[in-house]
């Protein structure tokens, strides 16, 4: 891990604290307003993680359906006009997110919500768009947009808790206590040691198997690995993994690590699969307990 990226991680707790201190009532109002109609959650790169997290939050709040899509896919095939549109972007400067925003405006989306750290200009002049600014404590966020993503996910979690009826102090305390544990140097060192001891020097392929409730986490790992040029990577769920992936493991097991992200309900599936994986294949399991939005935040 580079010194620059380490410094980014060291400062994440400050961004979480800033998000916890930010007013979340407008974001909560937007979530609650959209409960009864379908929503397109639009994002690419790191913002795709936020779009997946919104989908999970809406599912756990028993809201209407959510379709997660990229800006290009949305611009070419919008699901409008009866749908709401949520756009996620760190800066609002990329051509694809601007095209998606204009598509939502042109097609008269039911409502447009833009969640961003620095993309205020994206919605300028659009009367029907609601802007939700999330705070970051590191303006030089880097191409992985680590702080922007962390603040967005934290803000969505706080807003979802508000919709679910939790009080202000309880919402903030729950998030801060979990983030302090997860972001501590000791927790990070343990994770790095686990990966390093399994990976070795010859492995260049990562397969992620994940519970559907952990899609946002899997997308985050997949995106980061590609954008940082760490390894080849593919993600899938446990059942889909059974459709042919064994051929790759048989031929290239010594080059492959299987990372499983499990909740309590999917742990038995992983245990069954792991018992059939050749010994040459590296494997790591990260268990998250009961499924839920706070589990995914972890």
């Amino acid at each position: 891990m580079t010194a620059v990226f380490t410094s980014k991680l060291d400062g994440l707790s400050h961004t979480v604290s800033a998000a916890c201190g930010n007013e979340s009532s407008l974001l909560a109002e937007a979530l609650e307003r959209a409960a009864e109609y379908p929503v397109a959650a639009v994002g690419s790169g790191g913002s795709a993680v936020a779009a997946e997290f919104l989908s999970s939050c809406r599912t756990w709040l028993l809201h209407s359906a959510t379709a997660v899509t990229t800006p290009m896919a949305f611009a070419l095939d919008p699901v409008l006009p009866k749908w709401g549109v949520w756009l996620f972007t760190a800066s609002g400067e990329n051509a694809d997110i601007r095209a998606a925003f204009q598509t939502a405006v042109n097609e008269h989306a039911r409502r447009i919500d833009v969640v961003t750290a620095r993309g205020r200009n994206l919605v300028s002049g659009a009367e029907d768009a609601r802007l939700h600014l999330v705070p970051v404590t590191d303006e030089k966020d880097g191409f992985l947009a680590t702080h922007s993503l962390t603040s967005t996910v934290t803000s969505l979690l706080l807003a979802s808790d508000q919709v679910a009826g939790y009080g202000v102090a309880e919402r903030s305390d729950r998030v801060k206590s979990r983030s302090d544990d997860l972001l501590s140097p000791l927790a990070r060192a343990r994770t790095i040691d686990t990966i390093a001891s399994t990976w070795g020097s010859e492995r260049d392929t990562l397969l992620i198997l994940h519970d559907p409730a952990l899609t946002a986490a899997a997308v985050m790992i997949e995106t980061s690995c590609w954008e940082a040029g760490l390894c080849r990577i593919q993600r899938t769920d446990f059942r889909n993994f059974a459709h042919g992936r064994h051929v790759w493991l048989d031929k290239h097991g010594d080059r492959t690590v299987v990372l499983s992200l499990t909740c309590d309900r999917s742990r038995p599936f992983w245990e069954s699969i792991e018992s059939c994986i050749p010994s040459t294949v590296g494997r790591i399991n990260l268990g998250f307990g009961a499924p839920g939005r706070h589990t995914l935040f972890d």
Side-chain angles (χ1 to χ4, degrees):
M1 187 180 298
T2 66
V4 173
F5 189 57
T6 297
S7 69
K8 299 294 183 187
L9 294 181
D10 289 340
L12 281 180
S13 59
H14 301 302
T15 285
V16 172
S17 295
C20 288
N22 197 39
E23 177 58 56
S24 62
S25 59
L26 291 179
L27 192 57
E29 181 272 335
L31 275 174
E32 196 160 25
R33 181 186 292 270
E36 301 301 323
Y37 56 79
V39 158
V42 184
S44 58
S47 294
V49 181
E52 290 285 358
F53 191 78
L54 172 69
S55 176
S56 296
C57 289
R58 282 172 53 84
T59 296
W60 293 317
L61 290 170
L62 303 180
H63 290 182
S64 190
T66 309
V68 179
T69 185
T70 64
M72 180 178 180
F74 178 79
L76 293 177
D77 190 18
V79 285
L80 298 171
K82 295 183 179 180
W83 288 50
V85 179
W86 286 64
L87 300 164
F88 294 92
T89 174
S91 66
E93 296 177 353
N94 290 337
D96 59 352
I97 199 68
R98 301 185 75 85
F101 177 79
Q102 194 58 51
T103 298
V105 172
N106 293 345
E107 297 292 335
H108 306 290
R110 184 166 185 166
R111 176 175 162 127
I112 305 171
D113 288 276
V114 177
V115 184
T116 180
R118 299 177 299 279
R120 187 187 298 271
N121 291 336
L122 181 63
V123 302
S124 60
E127 297 181 358
D128 296 332
R130 274 68 171 183
L131 179 70
H132 307 282
L133 288 173
V134 299
V136 295
T137 57
D138 188 340
E139 289 299 325
K140 296 181 179 180
D141 207 7
F143 71 95
L144 292 178
T146 311
H147 282 256
S148 299
L149 174 58
T150 298
S151 186
T152 299
V153 170
T154 302
S155 299
L156 287 172
L157 179 62
L158 290 166
S160 297
D161 279 358
Q162 183 173 337
V163 172
Y166 291 98
V168 175
E170 186 177 7
R171 297 197 304 268
S172 179
D173 289 346
R174 276 156 54 96
V175 173
K176 284 183 178 179
S177 63
R178 296 172 86 100
S179 64
D180 287 346
D181 291 340
L182 294 167
L183 297 174
S184 70
L186 179 59
R188 282 159 44 191
R190 285 175 177 169
T191 302
I192 292 170
D193 287 346
T194 298
I195 294 173
S197 63
T198 304
W199 195 267
S201 60
E202 302 299 325
R203 301 187 189 274
D204 59 4
T205 302
L206 179 64
L207 299 179
I208 304 177
L209 315 186
H210 63 91
D211 188 293
L214 300 172
T215 299
V219 171
M220 181 186 68
I221 296 171
E222 179 186 45
T223 299
S224 298
C225 285
W226 280 121
E227 292 187 353
L230 298 179
C231 61
R232 294 179 290 187
I233 183 169
Q234 184 185 52
R235 63 181 178 88
T236 186
D237 65 31
F238 296 96
R239 185 63 188 92
N240 194 46
F241 175 75
H243 289 280
R245 268 63 170 196
H246 63 282
V247 177
W248 175 270
L249 295 182
D250 180 60
K251 293 179 178 293
H252 307 289
D254 58 344
R255 297 168 48 190
T256 305
V257 172
V258 177
L259 170 63
S260 62
L261 309 179
T262 57
C263 295
D264 290 341
R265 64 185 186 181
S266 52
R267 179 72 187 221
F269 299 115
W270 164 242
E271 291 174 347
S272 176
I273 289 172
E274 185 181 23
S275 67
C276 300
I277 292 178
S279 59
T280 56
V281 179
R283 75 284 308 273
I284 302 170
N285 172 248
L286 299 179
F288 290 81
R293 58 183 178 275
H294 279 267
T295 292
L296 182 53
F297 180 74
D298 289 348

